[in-house]
Amino acid sequence: MTLLANISKDGWDRFSIWGHSASVRELYTRRCRREAEEMTAHAQAAEMLSRRIGVGDSVLDVGCGGGYFYHSLAGRNLPVEYWGLDACGALIDIGRDIMPGFGLPAERLIEARIEDLDGDVDHVVCLNVLSNLDNYQRPLERFLKIARKSVILRESFKTGAEYHYVRDDFLDPGVDLKVHVNHYDIGEVEDFIASYGFKSEVIVDRRSGGQPELVIGYPHYWTFLVADRVASDRMTN
């Protein structure tokens, strides 16, 4: 019998932009090897964590790429157990190959999507990820439910939300894919965070100075939003 359909489960890898950029893989490799300058956002996030971390705390870096945020924490001698999670297997493989040479066990880098995430961790850090997803509510809810102490975000936040789905012209030759470039309303996100028992603080992004920055040709309004748990019990929204 001749089958008329060809169905597979490889769609995420095929249609996600993250595995289709040789230049990104090269950059992430250099960052893992400490051959590239520390990201300003990583330095700023590490400083925020340094005021919140206690001995024996853990941190989960969501959208970690190769896990090179570990360098920012280890370089500041922060007493924290680092874990990284990323949906792109190619980027996780870079980290698993390189980062053990700097003291990070390969098993601390997890290939998984946010939808698969469960457990408990003291601090969640997510930088430059939610703005490229279809919306923020479900992933941010997951962070707020698993974080014991704090959630640190750097995303495109501003007054008034905008949602865009655009072609990424910076991928490998012959790759024609689109990506979300969303700007979330800062007040709406703060209210969402508060509903899960956290108090949030808006902090100006050091790299952009609070001004729009072009990424893949589109403006991004990078802003840090830091959420600290204030409720004694986990919220169950």
Side-chain angles (χ1 to χ4, degrees):
M1 178 179 178
T2 301
L3 299 178
L4 301 179
N6 177 23
I7 308 298
S8 78
K9 298 185 292 182
D10 302 323
W12 194 93
D13 289 331
R14 179 183 175 188
F15 294 105
S16 169
I17 64 168
W18 302 108
H20 295 280
S21 175
S23 62
V24 166
R25 292 193 296 275
E26 189 272 335
L27 173 61
Y28 285 20
T29 298
R30 289 193 292 111
R31 285 175 173 169
C32 285
R33 291 175 176 162
R34 302 197 75 174
E35 296 172 352
E37 183 179 0
E38 180 185 38
M39 290 175 60
T40 305
H42 278 183
Q44 191 171 2
E47 292 170 12
M48 295 174 189
L49 275 173
S50 71
R51 297 189 288 271
R52 293 168 169 81
I53 285 175
V55 175
D57 275 8
S58 56
V59 60
L60 174 64
D61 178 13
V62 179
C64 68
Y68 44 85
F69 181 48
Y70 171 82
H71 293 316
S72 296
L73 304 177
R76 291 167 174 80
N77 296 312
L78 297 182
V80 65
E81 180 183 272
Y82 173 91
W83 293 78
L85 180 143
D86 202 288
C88 182
L91 302 182
I92 286 291
D93 286 344
I94 291 171
R96 287 175 176 169
D97 181 54
I98 298 172
M99 296 304 293
F102 293 92
L104 177 64
E107 60 269 21
R108 298 263 193 89
L109 296 173
I110 302 169
E111 179 187 348
R113 284 177 271 182
I114 296 173
E115 292 88 339
D116 301 319
L117 177 61
D118 196 7
D120 296 276
V121 66
D122 292 301
H123 309 276
V124 175
V125 176
C126 185
L127 312 178
N128 313 346
V129 175
L130 302 186
S131 301
N132 296 133
L133 302 182
D134 53 356
N135 213 320
Y136 71 87
Q137 283 99 337
R138 181 173 291 181
L140 180 52
E141 177 189 54
R142 194 69 53 87
F143 305 161
L144 296 168
K145 284 192 171 183
I146 71 170
R148 301 185 190 106
K149 296 183 179 181
S150 74
V151 175
I152 295 178
L153 305 174
R154 181 195 190 245
E155 299 295 343
S156 187
F157 295 129
K158 67 182 187 68
T159 301
E162 295 181 29
Y163 293 80
H164 306 279
Y165 191 54
V166 301
R167 187 178 188 274
D168 188 340
D169 293 320
F170 294 83
L171 302 176
D172 295 334
V175 176
D176 183 9
L177 293 174
K178 290 186 175 182
V179 63
H180 295 278
V181 175
N182 294 338
H183 319 301
Y184 302 123
D185 182 80
I186 188 69
E188 177 186 309
V189 178
E190 285 188 287
D191 289 343
F192 184 87
I193 288 172
S195 73
Y196 287 85
F198 286 76
K199 180 180 180 181
S200 61
E201 179 185 4
V202 177
I203 298 175
V204 174
D205 176 62
R206 186 179 299 160
R207 172 184 166 86
S208 63
Q211 300 301 311
E213 179 180 52
L214 290 180
V215 180
I216 67 166
Y218 296 90
H220 288 61
Y221 303 85
W222 299 123
T223 303
F224 271 96
L225 189 55
V226 183
D228 292 297
R229 184 177 291 280
V230 294
S232 58
D233 297 317
R234 301 278 181 94
M235 304 296 283
T236 57
N237 301 46

